[in-house]
């Protein structure tokens, strides 16, 4: 939501305590959610919750591009869109060469290229298992 930052480009060795140490430099840190696969390995991205939009803006400004374990991380506001369910149901098709056709996708009444839209907006979607 609007009180959350999305963090990408994390080295797989980065864990929750490491993220708490980094993002704890900004007031209002509430929760760190490192996304993991079914084997509990980091997927290289996380969601960090703060108590206000102002703290989100501060975290983005302070940490975007920060080098963590020799990798520059990307930090941006996270926005969950209403299209989440439809896009996530189809996102796994992006890497399939044998896919007959992509689903039709309309944004604000205009048809858009599904693959481009997902690639450009996937960082805004919450991909955690429910």
């Amino acid at each position: 939501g609007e009180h959350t930052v999305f963090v990408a480009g994390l080295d797989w060795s980065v864990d929750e305590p490491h993220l708490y140490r980094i993002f704890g430099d900004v007031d209002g840190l509430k929760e760190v959610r490192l996304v993991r696969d079914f084997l509990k390995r980091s997927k290289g991205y996380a969601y960090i919750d703060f108590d206000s939009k102002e703290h989100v803006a501060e975290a983005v400004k302070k940490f975007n591009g920060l080098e963590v374990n020799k990798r520059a991380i990307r930090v941006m506001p996270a926005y969950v869109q209403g299209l989440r369910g439809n896009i996530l149901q189809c996102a796994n098709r992006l890497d399939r060469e044998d896919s007959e056709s992509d689903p039709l996708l309309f944004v604000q009444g205009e048809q858009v290229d599904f693959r481009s839209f997902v690639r450009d907006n996937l960082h805004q979607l919450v991909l955690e298992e429910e």
Side-chain angles (χ1 to χ4, degrees):
E2 60 187 20
H3 293 179
T4 303
V5 294
F6 172 76
V7 182
L10 294 170
D11 180 77
W12 290 348
S13 67
V14 174
D15 58 9
E16 289 87 347
H18 195 168
L19 291 171
Y20 272 106
R21 284 192 301 276
I22 294 168
F23 287 89
D25 281 351
V26 172
D27 290 335
L29 176 65
K30 291 175 70 176
E31 183 181 13
V32 169
R33 293 175 285 139
L34 181 64
V35 180
R36 297 178 177 276
D37 66 13
F38 69 98
L39 294 174
K40 306 296 183 204
R41 297 176 300 201
S42 170
K43 287 188 166 189
Y45 59 96
Y47 295 92
I48 315 289
D49 297 326
F50 291 92
D51 62 3
S52 72
K53 289 189 277 188
E54 293 76 22
H55 290 134
V56 166
E58 182 182 345
V60 170
K61 184 176 180 180
K62 186 171 187 174
F63 300 120
N64 188 39
L66 177 73
E67 198 167 288
V68 177
N69 291 2
K70 300 183 181 180
R71 292 184 66 167
I73 62 172
R74 294 183 315 279
V75 180
M76 62 200 79
Y79 298 103
V80 178
Q81 311 236 330
L83 296 172
R84 176 182 179 264
N86 291 335
I87 293 172
L88 292 181
Q89 287 175 15
C90 302
N92 65 344
R93 297 179 69 176
L94 284 178
D95 295 323
R96 288 182 48 199
E97 299 289 331
D98 62 343
S99 179
E100 297 85 32
S101 64
D102 291 327
L104 294 177
L105 180 63
F106 291 86
V107 176
Q108 297 178 339
E110 292 189 32
Q111 185 173 352
V112 297
D113 179 72
F114 173 79
R115 290 173 184 257
S116 297
F117 181 85
V118 171
R119 284 193 182 106
D120 294 344
N121 294 283
L122 197 57
H123 69 275
Q124 297 179 0
L125 303 169
V126 178
L127 299 177
E128 296 176 73
E129 294 179 12
E130 298 186 25

